[in-house]
Amino acid sequence: MKEHKDKAIGKGELLLFQGDSITDTGRNRENHTDLGKGYVQMLAGWFGASYPGSGVTFLNKGISGNRVKDLQNRWEQDCIALKPDWVTICIGINDCWRRYDRNDPTSLETFEEGYRQLLTRTTEETEARIVLMEPFVLPVREDRKAWREDLDPKIHAVRELAREFGALLVPLDGLFARASTEAPASYWAPDGVHPSAAGHGLIARAWLDTMKVLFV
């Protein structure tokens, strides 16, 4: 698979962010410049302040409730056709959650193969470099602890896919667990899934740390 040439963001590049509600964060989908109220907006603000005049565009295409299969259904329109230079994907918690709240599970095999198809299309049909974010859950509610049986194998699959495709990996599950030793889990994600403002700040910082972002 194609390897990253470098980790630097170039002038005028397009940074696309894909995923579920953690990325969506209530953005206005009729306004393509709306970045929502979470980590994507934080990143755009930091980058714009640090590198004014860079011409870099941040684009949020996260949709609340999405699973891997939903990304597959809209990947042509919401990724390939946009010709991004960077694609960051944060997906997987709903592939786990729907097993427990709707009896609509996504098997590990289906999750992994669907995710692999997304990455294959991205590497073959665009020049984009890829950043994968682990799904995560915190045990704010007692039932979240049982999700580990389903979620942990999916997290490992994301790690393996990052290795397979030469993608950068943002290890959110471990980072949120570590952060929860410094402040209660509910401080970072009140329901164990959806980040607070501090949780989104943690994601933004982790993305920057993983990218070791430089502008060239």
Side-chain angles (χ1 to χ4, degrees), residues 109-169:
E109 294 73 22
T110 298
F111 174 81
E112 186 171 13
E113 183 53 35
Y115 212 143
R116 181 176 286 107
Q117 289 177 11
L118 292 174
L119 300 179
T120 298
R121 287 202 63 190
T122 304
T123 56
E124 291 181 352
E125 300 179 46
T126 78
E127 294 296 320
R129 288 155 287 181
I130 300 171
V131 183
L132 303 186
M133 289 184 168
E134 292 176 356
F136 64 90
V137 69
L138 293 174
V140 175
R141 300 178 185 175
E142 188 65 26
D143 66 324
R144 295 335 189 213
K145 295 178 181 178
W147 293 12
R148 282 290 166 190
E149 177 186 7
D150 188 281
L151 186 62
D152 282 353
K154 291 181 170 68
I155 292 171
H156 288 296
V158 173
R159 294 171 182 169
E160 289 299 319
L161 288 167
R163 184 178 297 111
E164 179 181 337
F165 284 84
L168 298 173
L169 177 71

Side-chain angles (χ1 to χ4, degrees), residues 48-155:
S50 301
Y51 303 108
S54 68
V56 168
T57 299
F58 285 74
L59 183 60
N60 185 345
K61 287 291 184 178
I63 295 181
S64 181
N66 267 195
R67 293 187 262 184
V68 164
K69 66 179 183 180
D70 300 302
L71 295 190
Q72 288 181 276
N73 288 338
R74 60 186 182 87
W75 209 241
E76 176 63 37
Q77 175 182 343
D78 286 351
C79 180
I80 305 300
L82 299 173
K83 301 185 185 332
D85 297 289
W86 290 88
V87 179
T88 297
I89 306 173
C90 182
I91 200 72
I93 190 59
N94 292 313
D95 294 88
C96 168
W97 199 346
R98 297 293 85 85
R99 169 181 172 179
Y100 297 98
D101 69 346
R102 299 182 189 174
N103 193 27
D104 182 16
T106 301
S107 71
L108 175 61
E109 294 73 22
T110 298
F111 174 81
E112 186 171 13
E113 183 53 35
Y115 212 143
R116 181 176 286 107
Q117 289 177 11
L118 292 174
L119 300 179
T120 298
R121 287 202 63 190
T122 304
T123 56
E124 291 181 352
E125 300 179 46
T126 78
E127 294 296 320
R129 288 155 287 181
I130 300 171
V131 183
L132 303 186
M133 289 184 168
E134 292 176 356
F136 64 90
V137 69
L138 293 174
V140 175
R141 300 178 185 175
E142 188 65 26
D143 66 324
R144 295 335 189 213
K145 295 178 181 178
W147 293 12
R148 282 290 166 190
E149 177 186 7
D150 188 281
L151 186 62
D152 282 353
K154 291 181 170 68
I155 292 171

Side-chain angles (χ1 to χ4, degrees), residues 9 15-17 39 43-44 46-47 58 86-89 131-133 168-172 175 201-213:
I9 296 171
L15 280 62
L16 172 64
F17 292 80
Y39 75 90
L43 288 171
W46 176 87
F47 197 91
F58 285 74
W86 290 88
V87 179
T88 297
I89 306 173
V131 183
L132 303 186
M133 289 184 168
L168 298 173
L169 177 71
V170 185
L172 290 184
L175 290 173
L202 185 67
I203 295 173
R205 186 174 65 187
W207 187 90
L208 291 168
D209 288 346
T210 300
M211 292 283 287
K212 296 180 175 59
V213 68

